[in-house]
Amino acid sequence: MSIAKSVVTGTVYRAPEKRFTQNNVAVSAFVLNIGEREEILMRIISKRNSLDEVVSSISKGEKVLVEGRLQTAAVKMDDGTEKRIYEIDANTIEKLGEGSTSSNSDYGTEEIVKFESDDLSNDLINEDEIPF
């Protein structure tokens, strides 16, 4: 069941594996630890060919950002009990850390000042469109 759009960051807990479905569609999966002080593990699934290059370059211990659809799955364990697993069907995967483009120092001050002075917030969402 797909729940909502999700964006998470974390450390790769288990390196990616690539497998193929019966219809010969490549599916890559890895496990991400999204917890800071304790282990909170989430499975990341990628069915998109456009993500193959970045997924194949990821290794255990690297920090990544993942954007996609949060979904749940019920898995039957060996002892017959059911366990609920949370996973993200990834649309975007980005490596973080050294050499990444995620730091604020990559943006010039001209762009920041221009964005603040444009103030598009009133044009984008009217009060009638807010659902609460």
Side-chain angles (χ1 to χ4, degrees), residues 49-115:
N49 292 332
S50 61
L51 296 178
D52 278 347
E53 187 176 322
V54 71
V55 170
S56 63
S57 70
I58 293 173
S59 59
K60 184 177 179 177
E62 286 188 294
K63 294 222 180 254
V64 295
L65 178 138
V66 177
E67 179 270 323
R69 301 275 310 162
L70 179 64
Q71 47 194 25
T72 61
V75 176
K76 196 164 239 181
M77 304 304 285
D78 292 336
D79 62 359
T81 61
E82 278 194 4
K83 181 179 179 181
R84 187 158 300 277
I85 295 177
Y86 296 93
E87 56 192 19
I88 294 179
D89 183 4
N91 293 325
T92 307
I93 300 172
E94 294 180 31
K95 288 175 136 183
L96 300 177
E98 290 183 36
S100 72
T101 60
S102 63
S103 68
N104 290 336
S105 63
D106 291 343
Y107 301 106
T109 55
E110 305 84 33
E111 295 175 38
I112 294 171
V113 172
K114 182 176 186 256
F115 176 77

